[in-house]
Amino acid sequence: MKIIILGAGQVGITLAEHLCTDHDIYLIDQDAQQMKKVNQRLDLQAIESPAINPEMLDKIAAQNADMIIAVTNIDETNIFSCQLAAKLYNIPTKIARIRSTYLTSYIDKLKDLEYIDVIIDPAQLVTKRILRKVEHPATFVVLDFVSDSVQVFSVKINYTCEIMGQSIAELKAKLSEIPFKLICIIRNGELISITDNININAHDELYFCSEKTMINNICNIIYGKEIIFKRIIIGGAGNIGTRLATELENNYKVKLIDHSKKNVQRASEKLDHTIVLHGDISDSELLNSESIEETDLFCSVTNDDENNMMACVLAEKTGLKKRTIAIVNKSNYNLLQDSLNIDDLVDPRMTTVSRIMEHVHRGTIGTVYSLLDGEYEFIEAKILEKSELMNKQIKDSNLPEDIRIGAIVRKDKVIIPRSNFIFEKDDLVVFLAKREQLKAVESIFSVGSF
C-alpha cells in the first residue's frame, strides 16, 4: 500500500519503522534535520514540508495513496489534512489523531465527519489500558479481543509467587481446572520458547489467553493470594488523570494530585467523589500526609516521563507496599523499569501505534497490539469461506511455525484449541505473530492476492 504519514514525532516515526518494509511510505514533517536522519536510516520517502501543502501532495501523487495518517502535534492540522485528502485526492482511508481536551470531548460528533474514517484518541486508549489493570489488579497487561470476550493478559513473577521456581508442567497442573493458553514468556527482554520442563524465574512475564472471567482466578493461583485495590492515588490531573478518576471514583477511594492550580480547579469541577489536591507528586511529605503506606495503587500520568518514573520510585521509597504505574513515551525507559522497581510502564506511543495498525492490515485482520516495541503483535483475524485455513486442523495448516494461537471464538463460544482443532467459517482467531510474518498471515486470512 501507498501510505502517507503526516508528522514525524514519536508516533509517526514508530509507524514508519513498522510499515516501511512492506509498504510504500511517505513521511512528511517540517523538521529538516529530522527528515535527513529518517532518510538515512529508513527505506522510505522522508519529505520536508508542512502537512497542509497541496503542492507537495501533488508532487507525490497523493491521489494514488491508499491511506493517510495524520499524527502531527496540532489536532486542527490533522483534521484539515484528512479533509484535504478526501476532497482533493479521494484517498480511501483517512486517520487522524486528536489529543486536545476541548476536541476529544466531542469525539462522537467528530466521528460523524465524512472525511475522517478513524479518529485516534490516545488518552482514551491509555485510560482504558490502565482501567483494565485496576479491574484485574494482579495483571500487568490486559488486552481485549473479539468485543472483549477474550483477553490476553500478563503477570510478572516475583519471589513471593506461588509458582516461583516451578516448571511449566507444574503450572499447567495447578491451572488444570481453568481453560487457558500460555502464549509466551518474556525473559530479560526477549521472548523465549515454552516447554513443559523449563522453570519459571523471578521477573519473567507470562502472557496468557483466556476468558475475562478467568483472569483473576488464574492470578490468584499464581500469586497464592487475592490482590484487591481499594485506595488509589493518581498523579496528574490532566486529560488522562481526570478521565481515570472519573471512571474509578464510584468504586474506589481516589485522590488526584497536580501542581497546576488550573488543572486542579478543572478536575474539581468534573469529579464528584475524588479528593483533588494541589501539590507536587514528588513531595514525600505530601505523600506521607495522604497515607501513601495505605495506598494500593500509585499511578503517575503527567506529561513528563521522568517525573512519572521518579514519582513512582519516591512513592515506593516513602512506604507504598503495592503497585505503581507510570506513563512513559520513550521506549528506552523500559530498560529502567526493574532497576527502579516500578511495577508497570504504560506507553501511549505504542498504544496509539497498535490502534492505528489495526487499520493498516489487510483482509480480515482485526485488533492488533504490539509487544516488545513492535517486534511481535497480538492479532485478531477472521476465517473466511475461501481462506486457506478452512476445514483444516491447526497442525495441518500452513500458518508460520512461530504463530502462537491463544483462543478461537466460534459464535459466542470461546475455545482454547488443541493441535487437532479444525477451523470453520467465521471463526475469530486470537494469536501472536512476529512482525515479519504479518504479510504471510494477511495472505492466509485474506481472500485474493496482494
Side-chain angles (χ1 to χ4, degrees):
M1 285 196 294
K2 180 174 180 177
I3 301 175
I4 300 171
I5 301 174
L6 305 179
Q10 292 175 334
V11 169
I13 291 290
T14 304
L15 278 170
E17 291 173 338
H18 282 37
L19 297 172
C20 65
T21 302
D22 299 319
H23 301 278
D24 187 14
I25 302 300
Y26 291 77
L27 181 64
I28 298 164
D29 196 281
Q30 295 186 87
D31 190 330
Q33 188 174 1
Q34 179 79 306
M35 292 298 91
K36 183 178 180 180
K37 290 179 181 178
V38 171
N39 263 324
Q40 293 171 344
R41 188 165 62 89
L42 299 175
D43 183 18
L44 50 72
Q45 296 291 322
I47 301 168
E48 178 195 350
S49 169
I52 303 174
N53 184 349
E55 183 179 358
M56 174 272 299
L57 293 172
D58 285 342
K59 287 182 179 179
I60 66 172
Q63 68 274 11
N64 297 326
D66 300 286
M67 178 180 294
I68 187 166
I69 304 171
V71 288
T72 74
N73 290 326
I74 302 173
D75 290 350
E76 293 82 357
T77 298
N78 296 337
I79 293 172
F80 186 70
S81 296
C82 287
Q83 184 175 19
L84 202 67
K87 299 298 183 182
L88 297 188
Y89 302 99
N90 199 30
I91 296 176
T93 303
K94 289 80 62 184
I95 300 175
R97 180 184 65 182
I98 295 178
R99 297 185 294 181
S100 302
T101 305
Y102 67 89
L103 285 174
T104 55
S105 59
Y106 288 86
I107 284 289
D108 290 338
K109 293 182 179 179
L110 291 172
K111 286 179 179 177
D112 292 334
L113 297 176
E114 62 180 11
Y115 52 82
I116 302 180
D117 299 295
V118 181
I119 293 178
I120 304 295
D121 177 2
Q124 186 270 334
L125 297 175
V126 170
T127 301
K128 182 178 179 180
R129 187 70 63 89
I130 296 175
L131 288 173
R132 283 287 183 263
K133 297 171 187 288
V134 176
E135 186 178 359
H136 306 289
T139 64
F140 285 80
V141 172
V142 181
L143 308 175
D144 298 314
F145 293 90
V146 194
S147 301
D148 297 352
S149 63
V150 172
Q151 275 72 31
V152 170
F153 66 97
S154 76
V155 297
K156 189 169 288 187
I157 305 303
N158 57 45
Y159 291 102
T160 64
C161 279
E162 190 76 12
I163 64 169
M164 168 65 189
Q166 296 183 4
S167 68
I168 296 298
E170 290 174 300
L171 170 63
K172 290 179 178 178
K174 286 180 179 292
L175 299 174
S176 60
E177 301 298 319
I178 301 174
F180 78 96
K181 180 66 175 287
L182 177 60
I183 300 181
C184 67
I185 297 176
I186 295 178
R187 178 176 293 169
N188 299 324
E190 295 183 357
L191 192 145
I192 66 171
S193 299
I194 300 174
T195 59
D196 282 351
N197 60 350
I198 69 167
N199 288 335
I200 299 168
N201 296 341
H203 308 301
D204 283 353
E205 190 167 6
L206 280 59
Y207 279 79
F208 295 87
C209 186
S210 76
E211 293 185 67
K212 182 178 180 178
T213 55
M214 297 291 107
I215 295 177
N216 289 344
N217 292 337
I218 293 172
C219 292
N220 293 345
I221 292 172
I222 288 174
Y223 286 100
K225 60 182 178 181
E226 184 178 11
I227 299 175
I228 299 174
F229 289 160
K230 293 181 179 179
R231 299 175 178 84
I232 299 172
I233 292 180
I234 301 170
N239 197 359
I240 294 174
T242 303
R243 287 190 186 199
L244 266 177
T246 301
E247 296 289 338
L248 295 172
E249 64 176 356
N250 290 325
N251 298 307
Y252 302 87
K253 294 181 179 179
V254 181
K255 295 179 181 179
L256 182 62
I257 303 173
D258 198 290
H259 70 281
S260 165
K261 290 184 178 180
K262 183 177 180 181
N263 283 350
V264 168
Q265 178 64 31
R266 186 186 299 117
S268 298
E269 293 171 356
K270 291 184 177 181
L271 298 166
D272 297 320
H273 308 298
T274 300
I275 297 174
V276 185
L277 302 170
H278 178 241
D280 185 353
I281 57 171
S282 298
D283 183 345
S284 58
E285 291 186 7
L286 174 61
L287 295 180
N288 272 322
S289 68
E290 297 305 323
S291 305
I292 189 67
E293 73 282 356
E294 297 177 3
T295 299
D296 300 307
L297 173 65
F298 180 86
C299 187
S300 189
V301 296
T302 74
N303 293 324
D304 188 322
D305 288 359
E306 291 83 358
N307 190 39
N308 290 335
M309 295 180 72
M310 294 314 298
C312 287
V313 171
L314 181 64
E316 193 268 334
K317 296 295 183 184
T318 306
L320 181 73
K321 297 179 176 62
K322 292 192 178 179
R323 290 282 294 277
T324 54
I325 298 175
I327 283 184
V328 295
N329 288 278
K330 299 175 183 176
S331 59
N332 56 341
Y333 282 168
N334 291 318
L335 301 174
L336 301 175
Q337 181 177 351
D338 289 336
S339 60
L340 294 178
N341 201 28
I342 299 173
D343 293 309
D344 199 8
L345 301 179
V346 175
D347 186 346
R349 172 187 59 101
M350 288 309 300
T351 302
T352 302
V353 168
S354 292
R355 182 71 177 88
I356 293 173
M357 290 294 287
E358 293 182 29
H359 302 279
V360 174
H361 290 299
R362 296 191 176 202
T364 55
I365 300 297
T367 306
V368 174
Y369 291 100
S370 295
L371 183 66
L372 293 178
D373 207 27
E375 184 178 353
Y376 295 84
E377 291 187 350
F378 287 107
I379 294 171
E380 171 190 322
K382 187 177 184 179
I383 304 292
L384 297 181
E385 189 172 5
K386 295 182 180 180
S387 169
E388 298 176 31
L389 300 176
M390 269 291 293
N391 300 321
K392 285 186 178 180
Q393 294 184 0
I394 290 178
K395 62 184 179 182
D396 297 328
S397 70
N398 58 346
L399 285 169
E401 288 185 6
D402 291 334
I403 294 291
R404 306 182 186 201
I405 296 177
I408 293 168
V409 178
R410 179 171 293 168
K411 296 182 179 178
D412 294 328
K413 184 179 180 181
V414 177
I415 303 167
I416 305 298
R418 297 181 181 274
S419 62
N420 61 352
F421 176 87
I422 299 174
F423 294 108
E424 293 184 3
K425 180 177 178 292
D426 294 331
D427 282 351
L428 292 166
V429 187
V430 177
F431 60 93
L432 178 68
K434 287 184 177 179
R435 186 167 66 189
E436 58 263 29
Q437 296 172 328
L438 292 185
K439 195 169 186 179
V441 168
E442 288 175 355
S443 66
I444 291 170
F445 280 93
S446 303
V447 178
S449 58
F450 296 91

